[in-house]
Amino acid sequence: MTADNSVNGTTSIAALNSPFIKALVLQIRGQDSYGFYRNWSDELILKAFVVPKKKKREIPIEGEVDAATQARILVFFRAIAARIEQETNLISQVVVDINHEGFGWALVFSGRLLLTVKTLRDAHRFGFESLEKLAEEGETFVQKGLDLVNRFPEVGKL
Amino acid sequence: MTADNSVNGTTSIAALNSPFIKALVLQIRGQDSYGFYRNWSDELILKAFVVPKKKKREIPIEGEVDAATQARILVFFRAIAARIEQETNLISQVVVDINHEGFGWALVFSGRLLLTVKTLRDAHRFGFESLEKLAEEGETFVQKGLDLVNRFPEVGKL
C-alpha cells in the first residue's frame, strides 16, 4: 500500500479486512474477465466507492446515471447477496432498477423474502464517506437480511 | 361493441367483467392525464395486451424494448398490486427491471414479502393470446399473492 493509493487518508486495515469489503472485492475481481484490475490493490479498486460529501456536490444529477456508477451500485448489492448466501446457503437475487432521474430501487431477495429493500435517490452520486462507512453500511444490510432469514426461514426457501 | 373493435373475435363479456381486467383498465385510465382514452371502450384500450403467437413472431427482439411495451408490462403488474391491495389493505410496490435485451424481472411486494416474482424474457413480445388469457394469468398472480399474504401476514406488514 503506497501513500498514492490511500483514500483521503481514512482507510484502515480493519475496514479492508471486514467480511463485507472482502465479499465486495471478490465480486469485482470475479467480474474482471479482462484482468483489468489484476495488479490493483483492493484499496485502489474500492476507491471509486468513496465519494465524500464535497465530491458528491460536484457530481451533476442531470441525465442518465453513468454506466460505471450503475455497475458500482449493482456490485454493492451483489456483495450483500453474496454475504447472506455465505451465511445461510440460500441463493439470493439482486434487482436494481434506476430511472433516468437517478431514482429507483435496489432489492435483494431469497425465495419470497426481501432481504434488502433500498430506495435510491440521486444515484449519480452513489458512494460512501469513507471505506469504513462503506464496510459499515454494507454490513448493516447484511445483518438486517440475516435477521430476516432467521425470523422467517420458511419464506426464504419458497 | 362494434365488430371493428373486437379483438380477434375472442373477447367475451365475462373476461371484461373480471376483477383483474377491471383493475387493469382502472390503472390505465387513472394514468390517462390527457384524456387520450376517454372515448375508448375498455376493449379497445386492452387491445394492445393481446398479442397472439403469430403476431409475436413478427415482433423483432432486437434493440431496446419500446416505451409503450414497457409501460404495458408495468401497468399489468401494477394491476396485480392494486388487486392485492383491494383484498388485503396492504400497500404494494412494483419494480420492473428490463435490460436492453428484453430480459429482466417484475416484482410486486408488500413489506418484506414478495407477492409476485416473474422473470421476463423477450419482453418486446409481451402480450397474451386473448383477453381471457390476460384475465386468467393476471388473476393467477393475484391469487398466488393473496395466498402468500394469508400464510405470512407478518412479513407483509414489515
Side-chain angles (χ1 to χ4, degrees):
Chain A
M1 206 186 298
T2 69
D4 294 332
N5 282 358
S6 87
V7 180
N8 307 313
T10 58
T11 312
S12 86
I13 305 292
L16 281 170
N17 283 328
S18 76
F20 178 74
I21 294 290
K22 279 180 181 290
L24 182 58
V25 169
L26 210 66
Q27 285 292 316
I28 297 167
R29 292 202 189 272
Q31 284 173 32
D32 183 28
S33 331
Y34 300 108
F36 186 74
Y37 294 125
R38 202 179 297 146
N39 298 320
W40 289 35
S41 68
D42 290 356
E43 200 183 0
L44 197 57
I45 287 181
L46 296 169
K47 206 165 171 168
F49 285 86
V50 178
V51 187
K53 261 203 199 89
K54 192 176 163 291
K55 209 170 150 193
K56 277 195 184 179
R57 268 186 243 114
E58 289 164 8
I59 303 172
I61 51 168
E62 267 142 48
E64 198 79 30
V65 180
D66 81 292
T69 306
Q70 294 211 26
R72 269 198 303 281
I73 295 173
L74 188 57
V75 88
F76 174 77
F77 289 96
R78 283 222 176 116
I80 293 168
R83 280 279 295 123
I84 297 176
E85 280 185 19
Q86 269 174 14
E87 304 281 335
T88 62
N89 285 325
L90 290 175
I91 300 290
S92 304
Q93 299 286 351
V94 177
V95 172
V96 174
D97 177 40
I98 303 168
N99 73 9
H100 304 276
E101 284 96 43
F103 283 73
W105 292 91
L107 305 172
V108 180
F109 60 97
S110 283
R112 294 294 187 140
L113 187 62
L114 275 164
L115 307 166
T116 302
V117 176
K118 175 81 176 121
T119 48
L120 302 168
R121 291 193 315 157
D122 298 344
H124 311 71
R125 294 176 175 171
F126 180 78
F128 302 84
E129 197 60 34
S130 64
L131 212 55
E132 281 76 12
K133 207 76 194 140
L134 167 62
E136 199 185 299
E137 291 200 24
E139 196 58 28
T140 304
F141 281 121
V142 171
Q143 292 306 324
K144 171 81 187 165
L146 290 176
D147 174 54
L148 285 163
V149 172
N150 286 332
R151 283 165 67 196
F152 309 105
E154 220 187 320
V155 187
K157 282 176 200 140
L158 280 179
Chain B
M1 205 186 302
T2 69
D4 293 331
N5 282 357
S6 87
V7 180
N8 308 313
T10 56
T11 311
S12 85
I13 305 292
L16 281 170
N17 282 327
S18 76
F20 178 74
I21 294 290
K22 277 179 183 289
L24 183 58
V25 170
L26 210 64
Q27 285 292 316
I28 298 168
R29 292 200 188 274
Q31 282 173 32
D32 183 29
S33 332
Y34 300 108
F36 185 75
Y37 294 127
R38 202 181 296 147
N39 298 319
W40 289 35
S41 69
D42 290 355
E43 199 182 1
L44 197 57
I45 286 181
L46 296 169
K47 204 164 174 169
F49 285 85
V50 177
V51 187
K53 262 204 196 88
K54 192 175 162 297
K55 209 169 150 193
K56 277 195 184 180
R57 266 185 245 114
E58 289 163 9
I59 302 172
I61 52 168
E62 268 143 49
E64 198 78 29
V65 180
D66 79 293
T69 307
Q70 294 210 28
R72 270 199 302 282
I73 294 173
L74 188 58
V75 88
F76 174 77
F77 289 98
R78 283 222 176 116
I80 293 168
R83 280 279 295 125
I84 296 175
E85 280 185 19
Q86 270 175 12
E87 304 281 336
T88 62
N89 285 326
L90 292 174
I91 300 291
S92 304
Q93 298 285 352
V94 178
V95 173
V96 174
D97 176 40
I98 303 169
N99 72 9
H100 303 277
E101 283 95 44
F103 282 74
W105 293 90
L107 305 172
V108 180
F109 60 97
S110 283
R112 293 293 186 142
L113 187 61
L114 276 164
L115 307 166
T116 302
V117 176
K118 175 82 176 120
T119 50
L120 301 167
R121 291 193 316 158
D122 299 343
H124 311 72
R125 295 175 175 171
F126 179 80
F128 301 84
E129 197 59 37
S130 64
L131 211 57
E132 280 78 11
K133 208 75 195 143
L134 168 62
E136 198 185 300
E137 291 200 24
E139 196 57 29
T140 304
F141 280 120
V142 171
Q143 291 306 322
K144 171 79 186 166
L146 290 176
D147 174 53
L148 285 163
V149 173
N150 286 333
R151 283 166 65 197
F152 308 106
E154 222 188 319
V155 188
K157 282 176 201 141
L158 281 178

